[in-house]
Structures are given as structure tokens and as C-alpha cells.
Amino acid sequence: MSNQYRVGVIGCGSISNLHMTGYNGDERFQVVAASDPVDEALNSFCGRYDIAGRYADARKMLDEEALDVISICTWHKLHAPMTIAACARKPKAILCEKPMGTNMGECDEMMIAAERNEVKLAIAHQRRFNPAWTDARNLLAAGAVGAPKHVCASGGQGLLNDCSHIFDFMRYVMSDPAAQWVIGNIERKTDRYERDIRIEDRSAGIIGFDNGAIGMLLQELAPGRQGGTVYGEDGILDVSETRVRLLSSKTGTWEERPSVGEDNSVRQARELADWLDGTLEAYRGEANNGRAAVEIIMAIYESA
């Protein structure tokens, strides 16, 4: 019989539905409780998924439910305090929404709390499990376009929100190189907010990675999408969530490669269960990758 993991969800807003899609896609998970201080959100979510345990206070849920896995689906500012509180109860794993934190201190405190309590900490950059993104990663690793030289991408909704996915894309498709230096600037003339955090009107960032590639982000300066274009020594990869377009110097023509594979959220949960079972040594959503995306964002602020 396979292992069974009791799951609790903190925060019952829209993103929690993606976590439920994942857990419902693998029989090793049983979501037994959820918490949200807003009664309407809590009852709607629990009613939709037939969840018995309903708590207005997340800490009360953590104390009473003996949870193995905790999903943190709150707004950004609560990621660190909720993760640290959850770690204190010593679950087996925590899956926290992105961005990991709102500054580097929060990210480091989350990782310290997880390490001290022997908790596996993951950040839900679920597009790491996207079949098209993974196809691009595999193509690059196999040398389909030669060594990557430039990765260009655009985004919106602020650096911490939408663009955290974009920086994670740059690292993921290139097999997670480290950022060595960052140059950036921001423009903020209005009071734009995203989930209670003031965000930029526009920004730009250039990142030097330790594999020799240069990443470039334009936020609100070009049409945004979840993906980007990788220019290699011998070709180009144009990547979205639904397909990869490959131009190789060997063929001289574009090859359309549609996304084929399991749903992002289901694959994220399935590999999380494998990681917990011990059949998967490294999890692609581990916290160090979530921290790396936030570090690039903080470096853009520091540069500006």
C-alpha cells in the first residue's frame, strides 16, 4: 500500500484551487482541513472539495490536525510567517506559493526554520512542471541550439508576482545556473498595488548567469507571456506554456513542438509525493530555486 499524506491548506483564494487540482490528481494525498479568516472563502472552498476540517485560525488547524503536508496559499506578505509557524509543527513538507518571500531575510528565515525542523520546503513555481518548459530544458541540455547565449522575456503585474515566474523560467530552462550579477532599473510614478504590495509601473533587468548566458527582462515594456526566447550558438528556442518552437542551424526551418504531458499542478503534487516517499532524490520545486528568483528581483531593486 502506498503512503498516505494528510494535507492542510492555508488560504482559500483562487490559487488554492490549483493546489487542489494537484492533490486530487494523486491518491497519496488526502486534504483533510483548510483555514481562512474569511468565512465565505473558507466555506466555499471546503464545500467545493468536501473538506471536513474548517478553521478561521491557521495555527489552530496546525495544532489540531496532525498534518503531513501544508499548502500555503496566502498573499505574499504571509508566506514567511505562515511557513515558519507551519515548520514549528514539524510536518513532512510545506508547499508555499510564489514568490517565496518579499525580501531575502524572509526567504532565509523560511529555509532556516525548515532545516531546523527537518521539513521539506518547496515553492510552487508550478510552471517548472509545464511540459513545454521541460521540453525546452531538455532540448537545451541536449545541445539542440548549442550553448545558450541570451534569454529574453517580458512580464507584467510587478516583479515579485508575475515576473518571479519569468526569472524562474530563465533558470529552469538552462538547468538552473546561478545569477552572478544583475543590472536593473524601475519606474514607479503611480500607486499600483498587487495583493497589497506596491509594484512598479515598469522595470528592466539584465542578469549574468554563471553558464555565460545573459538574461533580459522587460516588465510592462512589451507584451508579457509565461515563457521567453532562448538564443543559442546554433539556433533559437521560442517557448510558451503551450509549445516550443525550435529553429536549428542544421535544418534552417522552424519546428513546432506542442506541449504534451501531465497538468502542471498534478505533476507538481505527484513529484512532491515521490520526494516524500524517498523515490525522488531532488525535487525541482525545492526552496533554493524559489529563493534564487527572489534574489534576482531584490538585486534589480538594489541596482535601481
Side-chain angles (χ1 to χ4, degrees):
M1 182 178 176
S2 62
N3 292 326
Q4 296 292 306
Y5 300 110
R6 290 170 54 85
V7 180
V9 177
I10 299 176
C12 298
S14 59
I15 200 66
S16 61
N17 294 288
L18 290 183
H19 287 236
M20 287 301 305
T21 296
Y23 294 132
N24 286 339
D26 193 298
E27 63 183 8
R28 288 170 288 183
F29 294 108
Q30 180 186 13
V31 181
V32 298
S35 67
D36 198 296
V38 179
D39 286 343
E40 182 179 357
L42 176 65
N43 292 324
S44 174
F45 179 77
C46 291
R48 186 179 310 123
Y49 298 108
D50 193 25
I51 299 170
R54 304 184 183 191
Y55 296 84
D57 185 342
R59 288 172 174 81
K60 182 176 175 64
M61 179 185 77
L62 295 172
D63 287 336
E64 295 186 0
E65 289 289 347
L67 299 168
D68 299 305
V69 178
I70 298 159
S71 266
I72 297 176
C73 303
T74 63
W75 286 8
H76 312 334
K77 289 180 180 179
L78 289 175
H79 289 176
M82 286 292 98
T83 294
I84 292 166
C87 283
R89 277 71 174 185
K90 299 183 183 295
K92 291 181 171 66
I94 295 170
L95 179 62
C96 177
E97 259 306 310
K98 63 82 200 164
M100 182 174 179
T102 64
N103 56 61
M104 297 312 298
E106 289 182 352
C107 295
D108 291 341
E109 288 169 1
M110 292 163 72
M111 294 183 73
I112 289 168
E115 183 178 359
R116 285 178 175 172
N117 291 282
E118 299 182 337
V119 177
K120 294 181 183 296
L121 177 58
I123 305 302
H125 279 288
Q126 79 277 9
R127 290 178 178 85
R128 281 184 163 252
F129 302 87
N130 179 284
W133 285 25
T134 301
D135 186 30
R137 178 185 172 105
N138 293 338
L139 285 167
L140 276 175
V145 297
K149 292 299 182 182
H150 303 282
V151 185
C152 301
S154 56
Q157 301 181 49
L159 287 171
L160 269 174
N161 183 43
D162 184 50
C163 294
S164 65
H165 279 306
I166 302 301
F167 295 124
D168 193 55
F169 163 80
M170 291 181 184
R171 295 189 65 251
Y172 179 65
V173 297
M174 293 192 293
S175 298
D176 293 314
Q180 292 186 311
W181 54 264
V182 175
I183 299 171
N185 208 348
I186 61 172
E187 179 180 287
R188 182 181 279 134
K189 296 180 178 179
T190 69
D191 282 330
R192 291 181 72 203
Y193 281 81
E194 197 280 322
R195 294 180 228 209
D196 201 32
I197 290 180
R198 195 178 180 202
I199 62 172
E200 310 74 31
D201 294 329
R202 299 190 296 182
S203 68
I206 301 174
I207 306 98
F209 292 101
D210 66 2
N211 64 348
I214 301 296
M216 181 178 72
L217 169 86
L218 300 177
Q219 176 233 325
E220 311 288 359
L221 290 164
R225 60 173 166 142
Q226 290 295 341
T229 304
V230 182
Y231 298 91
E233 290 179 324
D234 298 316
I236 300 171
L237 290 176
D238 186 59
V239 188
S240 72
E241 289 187 275
T242 59
R243 56 100 183 105
V244 175
R245 297 179 70 231
L246 166 64
L247 176 62
S248 169
S249 62
K250 299 179 178 66
T251 64
T253 60
W254 286 99
E255 176 191 352
E256 294 280 346
R257 300 171 64 91
S259 176
V260 178
E262 197 167 34
D263 175 85
N264 300 350
S265 297
V266 174
R267 174 55 60 182
Q268 177 176 249
R270 192 179 307 286
E271 291 190 18
L272 178 62
D274 292 341
W275 193 30
L276 289 169
D277 287 348
T279 59
L280 185 68
E281 183 176 347
Y283 182 60
R284 60 180 114 170
E286 287 186 57
N288 60 298
N289 289 317
R291 183 189 185 280
V294 175
E295 185 175 37
I296 293 170
I297 293 166
M298 295 301 122
I300 290 174
Y301 290 144
E302 188 72 15
S303 178

